[in-house]
Amino acid sequence: MPKLIWREPIETTTITNKPPGDAAPAPGLETVPKAREAPEAPEAPAEPRRRVITLGDIAGRESGGLVVLLVSIGALTLASDEFLTPNNLSNLARQVAIFGIIAVGELLVILTAGIDLSVGSVLGLAGASTAQLLVAGMPILPSILIGVGIGTALGIVNGLLVTRALLPPFIATLGMLGIARGLVLLSTDAQTIQGVPAAFQAIANGTILGIPNLLIIAAVVVAVMWFVLTRTVFGRYIYAVGSNPESARLAGVPVRMVTISVYMISGLLAGLGGVLLASRLGAGIPTAGTGFELNAIAACVIGGASLFGAKGSAIGAATGALIMGVLNNGGNLLAINAFYLQIAIGVLILVAVGFDQLNTRRSAASG
């Protein structure tokens, strides 16, 4: 008798001559159920990896700038007893405010992967023109509006040169830098415009509840730009254009209009900065604003903006301007050679750009 070999039963079917189509179960159709298999033991769920929350998760790209700012403030507080005095903080606020306003305008252009090298010259032209109008007897408000309007008009010209004439932003704004500086030197005969009304000077030098007016104006500008960039469709358009203008165009974004708008806003804020600087100094200085464009770009980069576009925030640009102001102020208090401060700011720019490139490569490798 052959030896039986055990095997698991399988499902079998016996077919009889039962006519098809009957809904009742056929008595001749027998099904042998498959034997139950032992249930497999469930796999133990993998333990979730615990991730440490860092300052970067909370503050984003501005975290590096915030760390540098806090370290700088702490070091200067320990090194100088005059740093935290009300008088010094008031002067620091007035110095940083104008840089912050210009830096926020520069940021909008940088977010579209452009650059505006004309903001310093536009600032000088707007401030000197406002002072000339005031000395000539024009009321304060119209003079201010005309000064800001000059900056806005030059910003629109920059935008048209980039979008219509298809000039690279560097070349277009570099040309405007020379044009605006030449215009202010010609219109003033390279002479300081003095004799502006005291009421005009009170705009930048006055205070409200002990807070400098310049700081309040700068805070309002930063808050408005933060809202525009984070809570409006126009802000999303700016980031989209900076990320990929062709993809943005195919998605329905008015790329040309957005580009012209950011240059216009940059010119407007440069004009506003020129008016405020003339008010603070009590005069229209034709050489005012020289080198401000580099400081504005540096403030944006230190604050986390990428020169390749689509990365950065208004708060970051303001933080970068504050860092530069704190370093300059601390250098003056400690009698540090200004050349060393320039080296320190240059190193900060290199480190900020280096970290940005490193993070970009890491994201590309992991993505």
Side-chain angles (χ1 to χ4, degrees):
M1 185 174 182
K3 185 177 180 180
L4 297 177
I5 300 177
W6 173 258
R7 66 178 181 178
E8 293 288 337
I10 61 174
E11 183 176 341
T12 60
T13 303
T14 303
I15 302 177
T16 61
N17 294 329
K18 184 74 177 177
D22 196 346
L29 186 62
E30 299 178 358
T31 300
V32 181
K34 183 178 179 180
R36 287 185 181 177
E37 297 180 356
E40 297 181 357
E43 297 182 359
E47 295 184 0
R49 297 177 60 186
R50 295 182 178 179
R51 185 173 181 274
V52 178
I53 299 177
T54 63
L55 181 61
D57 299 322
I58 300 174
R61 295 177 61 87
E62 299 82 14
S63 58
L66 291 175
V67 170
V68 173
L69 178 62
L70 293 176
V71 170
S72 301
I73 292 175
L76 290 174
T77 301
L78 296 176
S80 175
D81 296 333
E82 299 180 2
F83 179 72
L84 290 182
T85 59
N87 185 37
N88 183 66
L89 292 179
S90 178
N91 291 332
L92 176 61
R94 291 186 173 94
Q95 293 169 4
V96 172
I98 295 176
F99 283 118
I101 292 172
I102 301 172
V104 171
E106 185 74 48
L107 172 72
L108 299 184
V109 177
I110 290 177
L111 288 177
T112 61
I115 199 164
D116 189 354
L117 298 177
S118 66
V119 290
S121 298
V122 171
L123 178 146
L125 178 59
S129 300
T130 303
Q132 285 179 308
L133 294 173
L134 290 171
V135 172
M138 182 174 288
I140 294 177
L141 182 58
S143 300
I144 293 176
L145 294 177
I146 292 175
V148 175
I150 290 174
T152 305
L154 295 181
I156 293 175
V157 173
N158 282 334
L160 292 175
L161 290 174
V162 172
T163 59
R164 299 295 181 178
L166 301 181
L167 294 179
F170 184 92
I171 300 300
T173 57
L174 180 62
M176 185 57 69
L177 180 152
I179 293 172
R181 186 62 65 188
L183 287 174
V184 66
L185 291 174
L186 283 174
S187 62
T188 61
D189 197 22
Q191 301 294 320
T192 299
I193 308 301
Q194 298 179 341
V196 297
F200 176 70
Q201 299 181 43
I203 295 176
N205 296 310
T207 61
I208 297 178
L209 299 178
I211 302 175
N213 293 344
L214 275 180
L215 181 60
I216 296 174
I217 296 172
V220 170
V221 170
V222 173
V224 170
M225 288 298 104
W226 173 85
F227 180 82
V228 169
L229 290 175
T230 60
R231 296 293 186 269
T232 67
V233 175
F234 177 69
R236 297 297 93 193
Y237 283 173
I238 292 175
Y239 285 102
V241 171
S243 178
N244 191 319
E246 182 60 22
S247 298
R249 184 187 65 83
L250 294 176
V253 176
V255 175
R256 285 184 175 179
M257 186 58 63
V258 170
T259 304
I260 294 174
S261 298
V262 296
Y263 281 97
M264 179 190 70
I265 296 173
S266 178
L268 184 151
L269 293 180
L272 176 62
V275 171
L276 294 176
L277 183 59
S279 173
R280 179 169 178 259
L281 300 177
I285 301 177
T287 58
T290 302
F292 279 27
E293 59 276 350
L294 300 180
N295 291 332
I297 296 171
C300 294
V301 172
I302 293 172
S306 172
L307 294 177
F308 298 98
K311 296 178 181 178
S313 69
I315 296 177
T319 301
L322 188 56
I323 290 172
M324 297 178 63
V326 168
L327 291 178
N328 289 324
N329 181 264
N332 293 332
L333 292 177
L334 301 177
I336 298 176
N337 193 327
F339 299 148
Y340 290 117
L341 296 177
Q342 292 183 2
I343 294 174
I345 293 174
V347 170
L348 280 177
I349 294 173
L350 294 178
V351 171
V353 175
F355 272 117
D356 179 68
Q357 292 299 298
L358 180 61
N359 292 331
T360 301
R361 287 194 294 268
R362 285 181 176 176
S363 299
S366 63

